Amino acid sequence: MHSKAIACLIALAVLAGAAATGAAAEPIRIGAIFSVTGPASFLGEPERNTVKMLEESINKGGGVLGRPVEIVVYDDETDATKAVTAVDRLLKKDRVVAVVGPSTSGSTLAIVPKIEEAKIPLVSCAAAKKIVDPVKKWVFKTPQSDELAVKRIYQYAAKNGIKKVAIITASDAFGAAGREELKALAADAGIAIVADEVYGPKDTDMTAQLTKIKGTDAQAIVCWGTNPGPAVIARNRVQLGIKTPLYMSHGVASPKFIELAGAANAEGILLPAGRLISEPQVPAGHPQKKILAGYIKDYETKFKQPVSTFGGYAYDAIMLLVQAIQTAKSAEPAAIRDALEKIKGYNATTGEFNFSEKDHNGLTEEAFVMVRITKGDWEMLK
Amino acid sequence: MTAASALLQYVISGVTVGATYGLTALGFTVIYNTTEIINFAQGEFVMLGGMLAVFALRWGGVPLPLAVPLAVLIVTAVGVLVDRVTIRPMRGRSTLTLIIITIGMSILLRGGAMLLFGKDTFSLPAFSPGGPIEIGGATVLPQTLWVVGITLLTVAGMKVFFERTLSGKAMLACACDRKAASLMGIHVDSMVTLSFAFSALVGALGGVILAPITLTAYDVGILLGVKGFAACILGGLGNPFGAVVGGVILGVLESLGAGLVSSGYKDAVAFVILLGLLFVRPSGLFGASRAERV
């Protein structure tokens, strides 16, 4: 059992910690900023739940280095400005040793200058490749970069004989980053982009863009955005009678997307997602199987609702920090950062993390599987 | 897909969204006609219509055919309440003061909806089942027919009300000259309350009929308010018929802009054309000049 493994590690750490420092029980304070409310609440809510659950289980097991862990969570309401205020509070008032989150790429990029100035490690839960490319000394992230998602989609599309795609992306940070990757990686995959449409993240009708796409000879449509835009696109596509296959980003890999789009409209949509989403279909021998099953069981028993891959990003962020604190035998920000960068072969819910000086995401496209939405559920594709 | 059917599709999409702009604009017009106030909480009435229907369905377990009229009724009551609590006590203040109060009201309603319903996006099931209907290579959702039908009925009803009924004429009289209307025995306060009830009603109608197509959230009122106001100006402030036509024109322009020019500039296209038109016809397409009204 995974939780047993943690308990063992923690027990060891308790012994080591107790021997080294006596019984000092000053809590290790970790900050967290999530979009618990607002348009990205489908990201932030499971993330907040997850870290609160981990805080409890870690402390039940004796804490880290013999010290309890305290996770201070702030809600940025899916607003970059509020994320900046929150990070200020975490750094100045709460005096945290590390920060996890924010949930969205825009908010993460907005707080990076503050993090670098304070020299505190940040493990972001947002997707954009820009967050860790170029590498920033203090910034790490757990979700697979959009670059990996695009590679996975193109790989799958090319294998299915697709040579021409139409892209439709949101005009926000996530969509714009995806659009760049989609355009940059197309040629390598042998794919031509025949239409490049954009929609406002608050738009409620994308039939005009889709009609334009319908008029091209695209063999597939790739949509990049987070809720609710892609749900509107899924609905409009069916409404317009477009049969062209629709690919989405990992930004919609949550049950909320299927709910908003409606199961009938979401039928057949393809997207890259972490293995968490279709855990029952992950083979028993897979190195991630144990941790996935453990997390899903713990989460679903506690919150009585299905897990999402986004909660997994937060799970990994906290567990990577715990791992780093244990190997560094210190909860000093600089020591945590150095230890994080040395983490190798660490299997988590998202994939196998191999951090290095040059790679602060530490994942390959192997962290993604292609899934198809079938009858309102996720079906893992071979 | 041929160019002609694409064009038809743009127009159909534009009309659907435009109808809600039109209903929002209609709400602006009704209140403007009796009070000369621009009610900036109009977009919030639209949002409340959609959200209340969603929550009557989710929380109350009220079936859809009942949830929709229930939502519209509640919003109408909210409209009356807005007038009683904020507008009536300020009677006699300048129009500008009252307009600022409506802005405050819109922020309050939006905040209240956020606290009550949360910040998530929600969807409402379509009023009638069935897939899209094909017409000349373009497709129409059954819900679109509901949207267009209800909009047409509403505008026809308004027209009859203002031109044929005593209350309607009394409301118009209040707009022309409150004092004179009052001296003629018209109960001005009731007329103002009635106009708020009406505008909330048409706003909420717009909200519930569009929610199955576009999804809804606590903050959709801001954009709808702006678009509705633009539609109102385009059609000629104070003209109910013009308001709805203005809304439809704005919707179609947006859709054509996104389809033919560039989807990135969708909102800009419509507003640029609106500005251009107002240079040529400052009173809007169907607006009478001020002098005629008195």
Side-chain angles (χ1 to χ4, degrees):
Chain A
M1 252 347 277
H2 172 64
S3 51
K4 261 188 196 159
I6 300 181
C8 284
L9 273 173
I10 288 166
L12 265 173
V14 172
L15 289 175
T21 60
E26 176 77 3
I28 296 176
R29 209 173 279 149
I30 296 173
I33 304 169
F34 296 128
S35 302
V36 182
T37 58
S41 61
F42 67 101
L43 303 169
E45 210 205 317
E47 288 168 348
R48 190 257 330 259
N49 288 349
T50 301
V51 301
K52 281 289 156 196
M53 179 181 96
L54 277 176
E55 180 185 38
E56 211 182 292
S57 72
I58 291 171
N59 289 336
K60 229 179 242 165
V64 182
L65 303 181
R67 294 163 63 182
V69 169
E70 188 186 335
I71 303 178
V72 187
V73 185
Y74 289 127
D75 175 15
D76 69 12
E77 300 170 32
T78 321
D79 179 343
T81 323
K82 295 204 167 106
V84 172
T85 325
V87 81
D88 263 337
R89 254 191 312 185
L90 286 175
L91 297 174
K92 297 198 175 114
K93 192 180 131 256
D94 301 312
R95 305 249 160 214
V96 296
V97 296
V99 177
V100 297
S103 316
T104 64
S105 301
S107 293
T108 300
L109 292 169
I111 71 161
V112 161
K114 298 254 175 203
I115 288 290
E116 290 187 312
E117 194 190 302
K119 299 195 191 327
I120 297 280
L122 172 77
V123 186
S124 168
C125 296
K129 183 181 133 193
K130 258 195 265 179
I131 296 167
V132 289
D133 181 31
V135 173
K136 298 167 191 71
K137 191 174 173 200
W138 297 91
V139 183
F140 299 78
K141 79 182 190 91
T142 50
Q144 311 90 332
S145 281
D146 28 23
E147 180 196 14
L148 302 179
V150 171
K151 274 188 186 161
R152 195 67 165 153
I153 288 181
Y154 279 168
Q155 217 178 52
Y156 183 84
K159 208 174 79 189
N160 285 279
I162 287 167
K163 295 202 161 23
K164 288 174 179 166
V165 299
I167 63 172
I168 175 162
T169 55
S171 61
D172 56 13
F174 180 75
R179 182 166 172 262
E180 268 174 42
E181 296 299 334
L182 283 165
K183 294 208 305 200
L185 298 170
D188 280 348
I191 282 171
I193 293 174
V194 294
D196 173 12
E197 297 294 318
V198 176
Y199 68 88
K202 280 202 178 297
D203 280 4
T204 53
D205 178 89
M206 282 67 138
T207 46
Q209 290 95 320
L210 287 171
T211 304
K212 215 168 153 183
I213 289 174
K214 199 178 174 186
T216 68
D217 55 352
Q219 294 162 294
I221 303 168
V222 185
C223 161
W224 220 262
T226 49
N227 289 338
V232 176
I233 289 175
R235 285 163 160 250
N236 287 168
R237 167 176 169 264
V238 173
Q239 177 195 341
L240 294 175
I242 300 178
K243 300 275 186 281
T244 319
L246 176 60
Y247 292 76
M248 293 258 172
S249 72
H250 49 312
V252 300
S254 78
K256 182 80 186 170
F257 169 72
I258 301 179
E259 183 203 317
L260 281 180
N265 297 316
E267 185 71 28
I269 290 176
L270 298 149
L271 58 133
R275 289 185 172 76
L276 186 63
I277 211 165
S278 47
E279 183 272 335
Q281 296 159 45
V282 175
H286 195 277
Q288 277 174 263
K289 181 76 178 178
K290 225 176 184 177
I291 188 166
L292 287 172
Y295 170 50
I296 292 171
K297 188 171 152 271
D298 291 350
Y299 190 96
E300 292 184 348
T301 337
K302 190 167 166 76
F303 298 104
K304 310 264 177 290
Q305 50 174 305
V307 275
S308 79
T309 48
F310 311 116
Y313 298 150
Y315 185 94
D316 296 349
I318 294 287
M319 293 316 289
L320 283 165
L321 281 175
V322 167
Q323 169 84 10
I325 293 172
Q326 275 162 355
T327 49
K329 298 194 177 57
S330 157
E332 287 305 312
I336 298 174
R337 192 214 79 92
D338 294 344
L340 263 180
E341 206 170 58
K342 291 195 186 78
I343 288 178
K344 293 268 186 286
Y346 184 84
N347 270 298
T349 70
T350 310
E352 186 189 309
F353 285 93
N354 285 294
F355 287 126
S356 72
E357 252 171 66
K358 290 195 187 90
D359 188 359
H360 280 194
N361 186 200
L363 296 166
T364 64
E365 63 253 45
E366 281 308 300
F368 277 122
V369 284
M370 284 302 286
V371 297
R372 181 198 286 129
I373 299 174
T374 311
K375 296 196 178 87
D377 206 352
W378 317 96
E379 183 198 352
M380 201 168 119
L381 301 173
K382 294 279 174 308
Chain B
M1 171 167 236
T2 64
S5 54
L7 209 61
L8 182 63
Q9 187 67 59
Y10 297 143
V11 173
I12 291 171
S13 307
V15 169
T16 316
V17 184
T20 334
Y21 297 165
L23 284 178
T24 317
L26 195 55
F28 277 114
T29 297
V30 173
I31 291 183
Y32 179 80
N33 269 348
T34 43
T35 61
E36 301 220 309
I37 298 175
I38 300 294
N39 170 31
F40 280 101
Q42 194 60 42
E44 270 55 49
F45 291 155
V46 181
M47 173 275 292
L48 275 181
M51 289 297 265
L52 284 170
V54 168
F55 277 86
L57 211 64
R58 287 191 161 221
W59 288 352
V62 184
L64 190 67
L66 266 175
V68 169
L70 183 71
V72 174
L73 264 178
I74 297 176
V75 180
T76 309
V78 171
V80 171
L81 203 69
V82 166
D83 169 56
R84 286 294 172 89
V85 176
T86 65
I87 303 295
R88 191 174 287 193
M90 301 302 277
R91 186 171 46 175
R93 301 293 175 90
S94 74
T95 313
L96 187 65
T97 311
L98 294 175
I99 290 176
I100 291 170
I101 290 175
T102 67
I103 294 177
M105 207 58 216
S106 88
I107 296 170
L108 185 74
L109 289 175
R110 192 156 62 237
M114 184 188 89
L115 289 177
L116 202 59
F117 308 127
K119 289 175 147 191
D120 268 340
T121 306
F122 299 96
S123 65
L124 193 67
F127 293 1
S128 50
I133 307 156
E134 203 175 316
I135 305 171
T139 52
V140 182
L141 279 181
Q143 187 66 23
T144 301
L145 303 179
W146 280 99
V147 170
V148 174
I150 290 179
T151 308
L152 285 178
L153 274 179
T154 311
V155 76
M158 282 288 156
K159 192 115 180 123
V160 171
F161 176 77
F162 277 116
E163 284 176 3
R164 302 284 163 82
T165 68
L166 199 59
S167 309
K169 287 178 183 166
M171 275 168 85
L172 288 178
C174 294
C176 291
D177 191 329
R178 267 175 178 237
K179 202 164 238 172
S182 172
L183 286 172
M184 293 307 290
I186 295 171
H187 198 272
V188 176
D189 278 344
S190 313
M191 291 302 135
V192 173
T193 307
L194 195 61
S195 72
F196 268 88
F198 260 145
S199 77
L201 181 120
V202 295
L205 263 181
V208 288
I209 57 178
L210 201 69
I213 300 183
T214 63
L215 310 178
T216 186
Y218 80 101
D219 60 352
V220 296
I222 311 170
L223 204 61
L224 280 171
V226 173
K227 296 278 172 69
F229 183 63
C232 202
I233 302 288
L234 183 66
L237 197 55
N239 180 338
F241 168 73
V244 174
V245 176
V248 172
I249 292 176
L250 193 66
V252 172
L253 283 181
E254 271 189 6
S255 174
L256 288 175
L260 301 178
V261 188
S262 160
S263 45
Y265 301 110
K266 188 178 119 187
D267 291 338
V269 171
F271 284 113
V272 165
I273 293 174
L274 174 68
L275 279 178
L277 183 115
L278 289 179
F279 271 116
V280 188
R281 266 193 77 96
S283 55
L285 281 177
F286 309 97
S289 69
R290 271 295 167 86
E292 278 174 12
R293 287 178 46 107
V294 179

